[in-house]
Amino acid sequence: MLVYRLPGTLDDEALTDLLWEAGATGLEERGGFVRASFGARTPLADTPELGSGEWLDEPDLDWQAEWKASLRPVRAGRITVVPGWLLPEVQAGQVPLIIEPGMAFGTGHHATTRMAIEALSALKLNGQRVLDVGSGSGVLALAASLLGASSALGLDIDPLTIPVALENARTNGYLPAAAGLKHPQSGRLLDFQEGSLSDELPWDDQPYGVLVANLYAELHDLLAPDYRSALQAGGTLILTGILESRLPLVRAALEREGFTGVQERQDGEWALVTASSGD
Ligand SMILES: C[S@@+](CC[C@H](N)C(=O)[O-])C[C@H]1O[C@@H](n2cnc3c(N)ncnc32)[C@H](O)[C@@H]1O
């Protein structure tokens, strides 16, 4: 890749205009220098404003390959989230959860996803029905299912996430069933549907034992009454995506709706709250 590097910033419009006019195919700023990519050397030194630069012939980098190589398995409780090609790195005793990094949020690398999986991992999920609101890549519903939930349903308002989550489920061994997917050995059911809690849901007739939602504080505040009605008595609520500064909003919403046993933990600026829906 051919780069012309000269002192300056991208805020200097006169400079960037001159570089574009000279045929630059891309501009970036690094450490007080503007770096302009060119297909071929051009006589830039003839333009006084550009004369202070130098040509660099840099090796081409395959950014996708670099990024893939930098991905590591993420260990969260009993689950290790990995892209398929890192499966051999999962330690014995850990449950592998394969997520191919792609279009939907939820590779396990974000603190909120990690904390939510840890919270699921700390529960006895065997035989439980779990609802994941804002399922993205499907990572939390999948984690719940792999940890023993008899059925897990992921809801997301973004229709693009649904095929991604279904594909991730298939990658983890789930097969199409009469409704949604089923794990052939354990018989556990898993499904992903477009929608949200406030919608009239055909599957909403039976309350859930666990509800997990990685959204944001303002939405948790709005959805708190729906969380209460979606959960069975004594059900567990796991909320994350909450910035530490917004915790009071979530605390107040849970108190308003009669949740009990509220517990909080933090990872950097992000918080996770668990609570019980009471009797
Ligand atoms: C931060 S991502 C969480 C993804 C995944 N559950 C995880 O924990 O890594 C939030 C997801 O919630 C979805 N979402 C946003 N608002 C929603 C709502 N009101 N109801 C359902 N899903 C929603 C977004 O489309 C996005 O996929």
Side-chain angles (χ1 to χ4, degrees):
M1 185 174 66
L2 197 55
V3 171
Y4 191 70
R5 187 178 74 156
L6 74 171
T9 70
L10 290 179
D11 293 332
D12 183 345
E13 271 185 47
L15 179 70
T16 56
D17 284 351
L18 281 171
L19 287 164
W20 289 125
E21 281 162 22
T25 54
L27 297 183
E28 65 165 340
E29 183 184 325
R30 259 196 243 166
F33 286 90
V34 170
R35 295 161 48 84
S37 322
F38 282 87
R41 280 182 191 247
T42 359
L44 297 180
D46 299 349
T47 312
E49 294 87 338
L50 302 180
S52 57
E54 58 175 340
W55 286 102
L56 305 170
D57 214 343
E58 296 185 340
D60 276 334
L61 280 182
D62 181 342
W63 292 110
Q64 184 114 12
E66 290 266 305
W67 170 72
K68 276 179 92 170
S70 71
L71 281 178
R72 303 307 313 146
V74 177
R75 195 173 162 147
R78 288 184 282 141
I79 295 272
T80 298
V81 186
V82 275
W85 67 90
L86 290 181
L87 204 49
E89 293 192 21
V90 178
Q91 290 182 355
Q94 283 290 104
V95 180
L97 194 173
I98 304 167
I99 295 286
E100 303 300 355
M103 299 287 287
F105 186 105
T107 55
H109 289 84
H110 198 270
T112 55
T113 311
R114 217 169 40 242
M115 286 195 289
I117 299 174
E118 283 165 0
L120 286 168
S121 218
L123 298 175
K124 284 199 172 63
L125 289 177
N126 280 48
Q128 295 271 21
R129 297 174 71 247
V130 176
L131 183 62
D132 170 12
V133 184
S135 44
S137 67
V139 62
L140 300 182
L142 259 161
S145 182
L146 293 170
L147 289 166
S150 59
S151 76
L153 171 64
L155 296 179
D156 204 296
I157 50 166
D158 179 353
L160 293 178
T161 64
I162 306 302
V164 176
L166 289 169
E167 185 55 31
N168 280 325
R170 281 189 282 270
T171 306
N172 284 277
Y174 289 77
L175 297 175
L181 302 157
K182 189 176 186 172
H183 198 276
Q185 277 90 45
S186 64
R188 293 173 199 154
L189 300 172
L190 181 60
D191 200 8
F192 295 96
Q193 307 255 355
E194 182 186 342
S196 188
L197 261 188
S198 37
D199 299 344
E200 291 272 322
L201 303 176
W203 53 84
D204 207 14
D205 49 355
Q206 224 188 318
Y208 291 84
V210 178
L211 190 157
V212 61
N214 183 0
L215 298 166
Y216 51 94
E218 289 72 11
L219 198 48
H220 292 318
D221 177 38
L222 279 175
L223 291 176
D226 298 311
Y227 294 156
R228 187 78 171 87
S229 44
L231 277 168
Q232 66 193 34
T236 303
L237 181 66
I238 302 170
L239 301 182
T240 189
I242 305 161
L243 283 169
E244 181 195 0
S245 58
R246 300 280 193 274
L247 264 170
L249 187 63
V250 178
R251 277 184 208 131
L254 295 183
E255 193 178 337
R256 190 181 68 226
E257 296 304 323
F259 283 92
T260 57
V262 177
Q263 292 188 4
E264 298 169 6
R265 61 167 290 207
Q266 272 174 240
D267 185 338
E269 62 184 340
W270 295 104
L272 174 130
V273 177
T274 55
S276 166
S277 62
D279 298 325

